[in-house]
Amino acid sequence: MADATRPPARIKICGLSTEDTLDAALALGVDWIGLVHFPRSPRHVDVARAAGLSRRAKGRAERVVLLVDPDDTLLTSVVEAVGPDLIQLHGRESPERVAAIRALTGRPVMKALGLASPADLAPLAAYVAVADRILLDAKAPADSALPGGNGRCFDWTILADRDLPAGTMLSGGLDAANVAEALARTQLGAVDVSSGVESAPGIKDPDRIAAFVAAARGMD
């Protein structure tokens, strides 16, 4: 059951790529929908498709476009076509680059940080100073082609006694079976899921989305 002393968790479903699964997420009242524009990802959508899905979600959830080390040309074209409410940066963008992207696009920016050990939190303060929101994800394996969406958890005890900024979002290997525990142990108020609501890489499952949302909100 939900902790009555805490507000309900805010939920982002990332990597949506079809109208049916987008509609399923929206019908459940998720807070953010994520559109991945990164060709190596099984969740990649081209700019035209991302634009169509974004229009469909407008006014029903905040629309997030995920980019990996984008150059200025890509940023400009994606923001113009998709009109995202938030840009998620999931590459090796430096704090200086994050600040530049925020200035160039005029959009709020969320920076993802990959964690595997306490040392990986060292850059946090620099990113907090320039990003509107921080997403904490599991650090990708060295041989991974993807910077995120690998279905791996990190050790949540890394976050114990850390002073994390308001709005920090938790990601990495979350699913309906572990999201309630993750929220309880980290005391964060926002979660992001992608592979944990899929039947196969890149294939979202409406039933798994519904189960995740129910678990995150502490519903029976």
Side-chain angles (χ1 to χ4, degrees):
M1 296 294 292
D3 181 349
T5 65
R6 300 185 67 208
R10 301 190 71 199
I11 299 167
K12 175 173 173 275
I13 308 294
C14 195
L16 291 159
S17 58
T18 69
E19 287 80 2
D20 287 349
T21 54
L22 174 66
D23 288 347
L26 293 171
L28 291 162
V30 303
D31 300 279
W32 298 273
I33 60 96
L35 306 169
V36 175
H37 186 74
F38 182 55
R40 294 210 303 267
S41 171
R43 302 162 190 100
H44 169 73
V45 288
D46 63 26
V47 172
R49 183 143 192 79
L53 293 169
S54 177
R55 288 192 296 270
R56 195 177 185 94
K58 186 174 182 179
R60 301 178 67 189
E62 292 186 57
R63 300 156 299 161
V64 182
V65 64
L66 185 156
L67 302 171
V68 178
D69 298 309
D71 60 23
D72 288 356
T73 300
L74 178 61
L75 279 164
T76 301
S77 63
V78 168
V79 169
E80 181 177 345
V82 180
D85 299 298
L86 183 69
I87 298 170
Q88 179 175 334
L89 298 173
H90 221 105
R92 297 182 178 179
E93 301 89 0
S94 67
E96 293 77 17
R97 180 60 177 155
V98 172
I101 287 171
R102 193 174 184 276
L104 173 68
T105 62
R107 303 298 167 103
V109 171
M110 175 163 65
K111 179 67 181 91
L113 297 181
L115 304 182
S117 71
D120 293 319
L121 280 169
L124 179 63
Y127 284 110
V128 168
V130 294
D132 298 273
R133 188 179 288 270
I134 297 294
L135 183 144
L136 302 178
D137 196 3
K139 195 170 188 176
D143 59 352
S144 175
L146 302 177
N150 292 292
R152 297 164 61 96
C153 294
F154 64 89
D155 181 0
W156 300 322
T157 63
I158 292 171
L159 306 181
D161 302 319
R162 295 282 180 170
D163 185 17
L164 298 172
T168 298
M169 189 180 295
L170 181 68
S171 187
L174 298 178
D175 57 27
N178 67 12
V179 66
E181 179 188 1
L183 286 163
R185 290 180 59 183
T186 64
Q187 293 294 295
L188 293 176
V191 288
D192 179 23
V193 66
S194 187
S195 60
V197 292
E198 292 179 345
S199 57
I203 308 300
K204 293 290 185 287
D205 183 318
D207 290 338
R208 295 186 189 197
I209 294 173
F212 182 88
V213 171
R217 291 177 176 162
M219 298 164 60
D220 289 334

